[in-house]
Amino acid sequence: MLSFIMNSDFWKSRWVNGETPWHQTEVEVLLKKFCPNRALKKSIVPLCGKSLDLGWLKQRSEAVVGVELSSIACEEFFRDLGAAAAKTEHANFVSYSGGGITLLCGDFFAIPMSEFQGVDFVYDRAALIALPEDLRKRYAARITEMMRSCAAPDVEMILIGREDGSHGEGPPFEVTEQEVRNLYGSALSVTVVGSAQRPSRADPDRILKETAYRIQR
């Protein structure tokens, strides 16, 4: 099982080498379909890369905060957006801010909870499925803590799980409905809201099922 440091180096090297097949050139369909139909105040996107979903969410949120390990991803995001970003160094991370979007470059587990204060929407397309099993438990525990301790009362999360028959091979890893319920169901409400099937970008002959979950306090 990969340790977090090994996993961090793995993802950083993928950005250095331009090996980012998970990056989508369009906004995620399941996000557009199931994002809350209300004005959002603060949206959080863990392990965000340079996702186009961030810009789409900014149209519906007063503020968007992404968390990303790679400085390359953060810099490319603002370059592609055509926006200047103010760079600020903190004790455990570096923040890039511009156009109402802030990317926190660092270890998600080391980002102070104060950075997530007031969040009312969490969006996870590629965070949970990027982590090996032991880190998925640690990650879900931190998301649960965020949603229960420092979020707005009406906070909700859209989480996209993945089933592709890989049985532990990855990343990305298979995350089934049962695992989602095991990770979040004891403290939060978990509801399946929809699903989609698509060819795997890594293996076009493999069809994967992506399921969207609405998770609430």
Side-chain angles (χ1 to χ4, degrees), residues 144-198:
T144 299
E145 179 187 359
M146 178 200 304
M147 293 181 67
R148 288 173 62 88
S149 66
C150 63
D154 57 349
V155 64
E156 57 187 289
M157 173 167 65
I158 292 296
L159 164 69
I160 299 177
R162 170 191 177 103
E163 296 179 61
D164 61 4
S166 58
H167 305 300
E169 298 175 9
F173 295 95
E174 185 170 58
V175 176
T176 65
E177 178 180 347
Q178 186 59 59
E179 181 171 3
V180 171
R181 294 190 181 280
N182 289 344
L183 290 172
Y184 290 107
S186 62
L188 301 167
S189 169
V190 178
T191 305
V192 175
V193 292
S195 64
Q197 291 189 335
R198 66 181 70 175

Short mmCIF file of all heavy atoms in Angstrom, two decimals, residues 144-198:
data_model
loop_
_atom_site.label_atom_id
_atom_site.label_comp_id
_atom_site.label_asym_id
_atom_site.label_seq_id
_atom_site.Cartn_x
_atom_site.Cartn_y
_atom_site.Cartn_z
N THR A 144 -15.64 14.48 6.78
CA THR A 144 -16.74 14.42 7.75
C THR A 144 -16.54 15.46 8.85
O THR A 144 -17.48 16.17 9.24
CB THR A 144 -16.84 13.01 8.35
OG1 THR A 144 -17.13 12.06 7.31
CG2 THR A 144 -17.95 12.95 9.41
N GLU A 145 -15.31 15.56 9.34
CA GLU A 145 -15.01 16.57 10.37
C GLU A 145 -15.29 17.97 9.83
O GLU A 145 -15.88 18.81 10.53
CB GLU A 145 -13.54 16.46 10.79
CG GLU A 145 -13.12 17.50 11.83
CD GLU A 145 -11.63 17.49 12.11
OE1 GLU A 145 -10.90 16.67 11.53
OE2 GLU A 145 -11.20 18.33 12.92
N MET A 146 -14.89 18.24 8.59
CA MET A 146 -15.14 19.55 7.99
C MET A 146 -16.63 19.84 7.93
O MET A 146 -17.08 20.93 8.32
CB MET A 146 -14.57 19.59 6.57
CG MET A 146 -14.81 20.89 5.83
SD MET A 146 -14.66 20.72 4.02
CE MET A 146 -13.02 20.05 3.86
N MET A 147 -17.41 18.87 7.45
CA MET A 147 -18.84 19.09 7.26
C MET A 147 -19.59 19.22 8.58
O MET A 147 -20.63 19.88 8.65
CB MET A 147 -19.42 17.98 6.40
CG MET A 147 -18.91 17.99 4.96
SD MET A 147 -19.62 16.69 3.91
CE MET A 147 -21.35 17.21 3.81
N ARG A 148 -19.07 18.62 9.63
CA ARG A 148 -19.76 18.66 10.92
C ARG A 148 -19.31 19.80 11.83
O ARG A 148 -20.05 20.22 12.71
CB ARG A 148 -19.57 17.32 11.64
CG ARG A 148 -20.36 16.18 11.01
CD ARG A 148 -20.02 14.84 11.66
NE ARG A 148 -20.35 14.82 13.08
CZ ARG A 148 -21.52 14.47 13.59
NH1 ARG A 148 -22.51 14.11 12.76
NH2 ARG A 148 -21.72 14.45 14.88
N SER A 149 -18.08 20.30 11.60
CA SER A 149 -17.54 21.25 12.57
C SER A 149 -17.41 22.68 12.07
O SER A 149 -17.54 23.62 12.86
CB SER A 149 -16.16 20.77 13.05
OG SER A 149 -15.22 20.81 11.98
N CYS A 150 -17.13 22.87 10.78
CA CYS A 150 -16.86 24.24 10.34
C CYS A 150 -17.67 24.65 9.11
O CYS A 150 -17.42 25.70 8.54
CB CYS A 150 -15.36 24.44 10.08
SG CYS A 150 -14.67 23.45 8.75
N ALA A 151 -18.60 23.83 8.71
CA ALA A 151 -19.40 24.13 7.52
C ALA A 151 -20.71 24.83 7.89
O ALA A 151 -21.12 24.86 9.05
CB ALA A 151 -19.71 22.84 6.77
N ALA A 152 -21.36 25.39 6.87
CA ALA A 152 -22.67 25.99 7.06
C ALA A 152 -23.70 24.90 7.37
O ALA A 152 -23.50 23.73 7.00
CB ALA A 152 -23.07 26.74 5.78
N PRO A 153 -24.81 25.24 8.03
CA PRO A 153 -25.80 24.22 8.40
C PRO A 153 -26.37 23.46 7.20
O PRO A 153 -26.73 22.28 7.34
CB PRO A 153 -26.89 25.04 9.11
CG PRO A 153 -26.19 26.25 9.60
CD PRO A 153 -25.14 26.56 8.58
N ASP A 154 -26.44 24.10 6.05
CA ASP A 154 -27.01 23.46 4.87
C ASP A 154 -25.97 22.85 3.95
O ASP A 154 -26.21 22.60 2.78
CB ASP A 154 -27.87 24.45 4.07
CG ASP A 154 -27.07 25.70 3.64
OD1 ASP A 154 -25.94 25.87 4.13
OD2 ASP A 154 -27.59 26.47 2.82
N VAL A 155 -24.78 22.57 4.49
CA VAL A 155 -23.70 22.01 3.67
C VAL A 155 -24.10 20.68 3.05
O VAL A 155 -24.82 19.87 3.66
CB VAL A 155 -22.41 21.85 4.51
CG1 VAL A 155 -22.61 20.83 5.63
CG2 VAL A 155 -21.24 21.45 3.62
N GLU A 156 -23.66 20.46 1.85
CA GLU A 156 -23.84 19.16 1.20
C GLU A 156 -22.65 18.89 0.29
O GLU A 156 -21.93 19.80 -0.11
CB GLU A 156 -25.14 19.09 0.42
CG GLU A 156 -25.32 20.15 -0.64
CD GLU A 156 -26.72 20.11 -1.24
OE1 GLU A 156 -27.01 19.16 -1.97
OE2 GLU A 156 -27.51 21.04 -0.97
N MET A 157 -22.46 17.62 -0.03
CA MET A 157 -21.38 17.21 -0.91
C MET A 157 -21.93 16.39 -2.05
O MET A 157 -22.82 15.56 -1.86
CB MET A 157 -20.33 16.39 -0.14
CG MET A 157 -19.25 15.78 -1.05
SD MET A 157 -17.80 15.11 -0.18
CE MET A 157 -18.52 13.75 0.74
N ILE A 158 -21.41 16.63 -3.25
CA ILE A 158 -21.62 15.71 -4.36
C ILE A 158 -20.32 14.93 -4.54
O ILE A 158 -19.26 15.51 -4.79
CB ILE A 158 -21.99 16.45 -5.66
CG1 ILE A 158 -23.38 17.08 -5.54
CG2 ILE A 158 -21.95 15.50 -6.86
CD1 ILE A 158 -24.53 16.10 -5.36
N LEU A 159 -20.41 13.64 -4.37
CA LEU A 159 -19.28 12.73 -4.50
C LEU A 159 -19.53 11.80 -5.67
O LEU A 159 -20.63 11.24 -5.80
CB LEU A 159 -19.11 11.92 -3.21
CG LEU A 159 -18.24 10.66 -3.28
CD1 LEU A 159 -16.78 11.03 -3.48
CD2 LEU A 159 -18.42 9.81 -2.03
N ILE A 160 -18.53 11.62 -6.51
CA ILE A 160 -18.66 10.71 -7.64
C ILE A 160 -17.79 9.49 -7.40
O ILE A 160 -16.56 9.58 -7.30
CB ILE A 160 -18.28 11.40 -8.97
CG1 ILE A 160 -19.23 12.59 -9.20
CG2 ILE A 160 -18.37 10.42 -10.13
CD1 ILE A 160 -18.91 13.40 -10.44
N GLY A 161 -18.44 8.33 -7.24
CA GLY A 161 -17.74 7.07 -7.06
C GLY A 161 -17.54 6.38 -8.39
O GLY A 161 -18.08 6.79 -9.42
N ARG A 162 -16.82 5.29 -8.37
CA ARG A 162 -16.42 4.62 -9.61
C ARG A 162 -16.44 3.11 -9.41
O ARG A 162 -15.90 2.60 -8.43
CB ARG A 162 -15.01 5.09 -9.97
CG ARG A 162 -14.32 4.35 -11.10
CD ARG A 162 -12.85 4.75 -11.12
NE ARG A 162 -12.11 4.03 -12.14
CZ ARG A 162 -11.74 4.53 -13.31
NH1 ARG A 162 -12.04 5.78 -13.61
NH2 ARG A 162 -11.06 3.82 -14.18
N GLU A 163 -17.08 2.41 -10.33
CA GLU A 163 -17.06 0.94 -10.34
C GLU A 163 -16.64 0.49 -11.73
O GLU A 163 -17.28 0.83 -12.72
CB GLU A 163 -18.44 0.39 -9.98
CG GLU A 163 -18.88 0.75 -8.57
CD GLU A 163 -20.27 0.23 -8.25
OE1 GLU A 163 -20.44 -1.01 -8.29
OE2 GLU A 163 -21.15 1.05 -7.98
N ASP A 164 -15.52 -0.26 -11.78
CA ASP A 164 -15.01 -0.69 -13.09
C ASP A 164 -14.45 -2.10 -13.09
O ASP A 164 -13.82 -2.54 -14.05
CB ASP A 164 -13.94 0.29 -13.58
CG ASP A 164 -12.73 0.36 -12.63
OD1 ASP A 164 -12.70 -0.40 -11.65
OD2 ASP A 164 -11.83 1.17 -12.89
N GLY A 165 -14.65 -2.83 -11.98
CA GLY A 165 -14.16 -4.20 -11.93
C GLY A 165 -12.67 -4.32 -11.74
O GLY A 165 -12.11 -5.40 -11.94
N SER A 166 -12.00 -3.24 -11.32
CA SER A 166 -10.55 -3.30 -11.16
C SER A 166 -10.12 -3.95 -9.86
O SER A 166 -8.97 -4.35 -9.70
CB SER A 166 -9.95 -1.89 -11.26
OG SER A 166 -10.51 -1.05 -10.27
N HIS A 167 -11.04 -4.02 -8.88
CA HIS A 167 -10.80 -4.77 -7.64
C HIS A 167 -9.50 -4.38 -6.95
O HIS A 167 -8.64 -5.21 -6.67
CB HIS A 167 -10.82 -6.27 -7.92
CG HIS A 167 -12.07 -6.75 -8.58
ND1 HIS A 167 -13.32 -6.61 -8.02
CD2 HIS A 167 -12.26 -7.34 -9.80
CE1 HIS A 167 -14.23 -7.11 -8.85
NE2 HIS A 167 -13.61 -7.54 -9.93
N GLY A 168 -9.35 -3.09 -6.66
CA GLY A 168 -8.20 -2.65 -5.89
C GLY A 168 -7.03 -2.15 -6.71
O GLY A 168 -6.08 -1.60 -6.15
N GLU A 169 -7.06 -2.38 -8.02
CA GLU A 169 -5.99 -1.85 -8.85
C GLU A 169 -6.22 -0.35 -9.05
O GLU A 169 -7.34 0.12 -9.14
CB GLU A 169 -5.98 -2.55 -10.22
CG GLU A 169 -5.72 -4.04 -10.14
CD GLU A 169 -5.85 -4.71 -11.51
OE1 GLU A 169 -5.96 -3.99 -12.51
OE2 GLU A 169 -5.82 -5.94 -11.54
N GLY A 170 -5.17 0.38 -9.15
CA GLY A 170 -5.31 1.82 -9.37
C GLY A 170 -4.01 2.52 -9.04
O GLY A 170 -3.00 1.86 -8.80
N PRO A 171 -4.04 3.83 -9.02
CA PRO A 171 -5.18 4.72 -9.18
C PRO A 171 -5.55 4.93 -10.65
O PRO A 171 -4.70 4.72 -11.50
CB PRO A 171 -4.68 6.03 -8.55
CG PRO A 171 -3.19 6.00 -8.76
CD PRO A 171 -2.80 4.56 -8.69
N PRO A 172 -6.82 5.37 -10.90
CA PRO A 172 -7.90 5.58 -9.93
C PRO A 172 -8.42 4.25 -9.40
O PRO A 172 -8.36 3.23 -10.09
CB PRO A 172 -8.96 6.32 -10.73
CG PRO A 172 -8.73 5.88 -12.14
CD PRO A 172 -7.26 5.71 -12.27
N PHE A 173 -8.95 4.28 -8.18
CA PHE A 173 -9.42 3.09 -7.51
C PHE A 173 -10.93 2.96 -7.62
O PHE A 173 -11.65 3.95 -7.75
CB PHE A 173 -9.02 3.12 -6.03
CG PHE A 173 -7.54 3.07 -5.81
CD1 PHE A 173 -6.81 4.22 -5.64
CD2 PHE A 173 -6.87 1.85 -5.78
CE1 PHE A 173 -5.43 4.19 -5.44
CE2 PHE A 173 -5.50 1.79 -5.58
CZ PHE A 173 -4.77 2.97 -5.42
N GLU A 174 -11.38 1.72 -7.57
CA GLU A 174 -12.82 1.47 -7.55
C GLU A 174 -13.37 1.83 -6.17
O GLU A 174 -12.81 1.43 -5.14
CB GLU A 174 -13.08 0.00 -7.85
CG GLU A 174 -14.54 -0.36 -7.98
CD GLU A 174 -14.75 -1.75 -8.52
OE1 GLU A 174 -14.25 -2.70 -7.90
OE2 GLU A 174 -15.40 -1.90 -9.56
N VAL A 175 -14.46 2.60 -6.15
CA VAL A 175 -15.13 2.97 -4.90
C VAL A 175 -16.61 2.69 -5.08
O VAL A 175 -17.30 3.39 -5.83
CB VAL A 175 -14.89 4.46 -4.55
CG1 VAL A 175 -15.68 4.82 -3.29
CG2 VAL A 175 -13.41 4.73 -4.33
N THR A 176 -17.10 1.66 -4.43
CA THR A 176 -18.47 1.20 -4.60
C THR A 176 -19.43 1.93 -3.67
O THR A 176 -19.01 2.63 -2.73
CB THR A 176 -18.57 -0.30 -4.30
OG1 THR A 176 -18.27 -0.50 -2.90
CG2 THR A 176 -17.59 -1.10 -5.15
N GLU A 177 -20.71 1.73 -3.90
CA GLU A 177 -21.73 2.33 -3.03
C GLU A 177 -21.55 1.85 -1.60
O GLU A 177 -21.68 2.64 -0.65
CB GLU A 177 -23.13 2.00 -3.53
CG GLU A 177 -24.22 2.55 -2.63
CD GLU A 177 -25.63 2.24 -3.11
OE1 GLU A 177 -25.79 1.80 -4.27
OE2 GLU A 177 -26.57 2.43 -2.32
N GLN A 178 -21.26 0.58 -1.42
CA GLN A 178 -21.11 0.06 -0.06
C GLN A 178 -19.96 0.75 0.65
O GLN A 178 -20.06 1.10 1.84
CB GLN A 178 -20.87 -1.45 -0.09
CG GLN A 178 -20.84 -2.09 1.31
CD GLN A 178 -22.13 -1.85 2.07
OE1 GLN A 178 -23.21 -2.23 1.61
NE2 GLN A 178 -22.06 -1.20 3.24
N GLU A 179 -18.87 0.98 -0.06
CA GLU A 179 -17.74 1.66 0.59
C GLU A 179 -18.10 3.10 0.93
O GLU A 179 -17.75 3.60 2.01
CB GLU A 179 -16.50 1.63 -0.30
CG GLU A 179 -15.32 2.32 0.38
CD GLU A 179 -14.01 2.14 -0.34
OE1 GLU A 179 -13.98 1.52 -1.42
OE2 GLU A 179 -12.98 2.63 0.18
N VAL A 180 -18.79 3.79 0.04
CA VAL A 180 -19.20 5.17 0.32
C VAL A 180 -20.06 5.20 1.58
O VAL A 180 -19.88 6.06 2.46
CB VAL A 180 -19.96 5.78 -0.87
CG1 VAL A 180 -20.58 7.12 -0.49
CG2 VAL A 180 -19.03 5.95 -2.06
N ARG A 181 -20.98 4.26 1.70
CA ARG A 181 -21.85 4.23 2.88
C ARG A 181 -21.04 3.88 4.13
O ARG A 181 -21.29 4.41 5.23
CB ARG A 181 -22.99 3.25 2.67
CG ARG A 181 -23.96 3.70 1.57
CD ARG A 181 -25.23 2.88 1.52
NE ARG A 181 -26.10 3.32 0.44
CZ ARG A 181 -26.91 4.37 0.49
NH1 ARG A 181 -26.96 5.10 1.61
NH2 ARG A 181 -27.68 4.70 -0.54
N ASN A 182 -20.06 2.99 3.99
CA ASN A 182 -19.22 2.64 5.13
C ASN A 182 -18.39 3.85 5.59
O ASN A 182 -18.19 4.05 6.79
CB ASN A 182 -18.28 1.48 4.78
CG ASN A 182 -19.01 0.16 4.64
OD1 ASN A 182 -20.15 0.01 5.08
ND2 ASN A 182 -18.37 -0.81 4.01
N LEU A 183 -17.91 4.64 4.64
CA LEU A 183 -17.05 5.76 4.97
C LEU A 183 -17.82 6.94 5.56
O LEU A 183 -17.32 7.62 6.47
CB LEU A 183 -16.30 6.23 3.71
CG LEU A 183 -15.22 5.30 3.17
CD1 LEU A 183 -14.72 5.80 1.81
CD2 LEU A 183 -14.05 5.19 4.15
N TYR A 184 -19.03 7.18 5.06
CA TYR A 184 -19.75 8.40 5.45
C TYR A 184 -21.07 8.15 6.18
O TYR A 184 -21.57 9.05 6.86
CB TYR A 184 -20.05 9.24 4.20
CG TYR A 184 -18.82 9.87 3.59
CD1 TYR A 184 -18.30 9.40 2.39
CD2 TYR A 184 -18.20 10.95 4.19
CE1 TYR A 184 -17.17 9.99 1.82
CE2 TYR A 184 -17.07 11.56 3.64
CZ TYR A 184 -16.57 11.07 2.45
OH TYR A 184 -15.45 11.65 1.89
N GLY A 185 -21.65 6.97 6.03
CA GLY A 185 -23.02 6.75 6.46
C GLY A 185 -23.27 6.79 7.95
O GLY A 185 -24.39 7.05 8.38
N SER A 186 -22.25 6.56 8.77
CA SER A 186 -22.48 6.55 10.21
C SER A 186 -22.65 7.96 10.77
O SER A 186 -23.28 8.15 11.83
CB SER A 186 -21.32 5.85 10.93
OG SER A 186 -20.11 6.55 10.72
N ALA A 187 -22.10 8.97 10.08
CA ALA A 187 -22.17 10.34 10.59
C ALA A 187 -22.97 11.28 9.71
O ALA A 187 -23.42 12.33 10.17
CB ALA A 187 -20.75 10.90 10.75
N LEU A 188 -23.16 10.90 8.44
CA LEU A 188 -23.82 11.78 7.48
C LEU A 188 -24.86 11.00 6.69
O LEU A 188 -24.85 9.76 6.67
CB LEU A 188 -22.78 12.38 6.52
CG LEU A 188 -21.65 13.21 7.16
CD1 LEU A 188 -20.55 13.48 6.15
CD2 LEU A 188 -22.19 14.53 7.71
N SER A 189 -25.75 11.72 6.04
CA SER A 189 -26.78 11.10 5.19
C SER A 189 -26.24 10.90 3.79
O SER A 189 -25.70 11.84 3.19
CB SER A 189 -28.01 11.99 5.16
OG SER A 189 -28.93 11.57 4.17
N VAL A 190 -26.37 9.69 3.25
CA VAL A 190 -25.85 9.35 1.91
C VAL A 190 -27.01 8.94 1.02
O VAL A 190 -27.76 8.02 1.34
CB VAL A 190 -24.83 8.20 1.98
CG1 VAL A 190 -24.34 7.84 0.57
CG2 VAL A 190 -23.65 8.57 2.87
N THR A 191 -27.16 9.63 -0.12
CA THR A 191 -28.22 9.33 -1.08
C THR A 191 -27.64 9.20 -2.47
O THR A 191 -26.87 10.06 -2.91
CB THR A 191 -29.29 10.45 -1.09
OG1 THR A 191 -29.77 10.66 0.23
CG2 THR A 191 -30.44 10.09 -2.02
N VAL A 192 -28.00 8.13 -3.18
CA VAL A 192 -27.62 8.00 -4.59
C VAL A 192 -28.55 8.89 -5.41
O VAL A 192 -29.77 8.79 -5.30
CB VAL A 192 -27.74 6.54 -5.07
CG1 VAL A 192 -27.47 6.44 -6.57
CG2 VAL A 192 -26.78 5.64 -4.30
N VAL A 193 -27.97 9.77 -6.23
CA VAL A 193 -28.80 10.69 -7.01
C VAL A 193 -28.75 10.42 -8.51
O VAL A 193 -29.62 10.90 -9.26
CB VAL A 193 -28.42 12.16 -6.73
CG1 VAL A 193 -28.80 12.54 -5.31
CG2 VAL A 193 -26.95 12.43 -6.99
N GLY A 194 -27.77 9.65 -8.96
CA GLY A 194 -27.71 9.36 -10.39
C GLY A 194 -26.43 8.63 -10.76
O GLY A 194 -25.54 8.47 -9.92
N SER A 195 -26.34 8.19 -12.00
CA SER A 195 -25.15 7.49 -12.45
C SER A 195 -24.99 7.66 -13.96
O SER A 195 -25.91 8.10 -14.66
CB SER A 195 -25.23 6.00 -12.09
OG SER A 195 -26.31 5.38 -12.76
N ALA A 196 -23.81 7.31 -14.43
CA ALA A 196 -23.51 7.36 -15.86
C ALA A 196 -22.48 6.29 -16.18
O ALA A 196 -21.68 5.90 -15.32
CB ALA A 196 -22.98 8.74 -16.25
N GLN A 197 -22.53 5.79 -17.40
CA GLN A 197 -21.53 4.82 -17.86
C GLN A 197 -20.72 5.47 -18.96
O GLN A 197 -21.25 6.20 -19.80
CB GLN A 197 -22.19 3.54 -18.35
CG GLN A 197 -22.83 2.73 -17.25
CD GLN A 197 -23.29 1.36 -17.72
OE1 GLN A 197 -23.55 1.16 -18.90
NE2 GLN A 197 -23.37 0.42 -16.80
N ARG A 198 -19.42 5.19 -18.96
CA ARG A 198 -18.56 5.76 -19.98
C ARG A 198 -17.32 4.87 -20.14
O ARG A 198 -16.96 4.14 -19.21
CB ARG A 198 -18.14 7.17 -19.62
CG ARG A 198 -17.26 7.26 -18.39
CD ARG A 198 -16.88 8.70 -18.06
NE ARG A 198 -18.02 9.46 -17.59
CZ ARG A 198 -17.93 10.71 -17.14
NH1 ARG A 198 -16.76 11.33 -17.13
NH2 ARG A 198 -19.00 11.36 -16.73
#
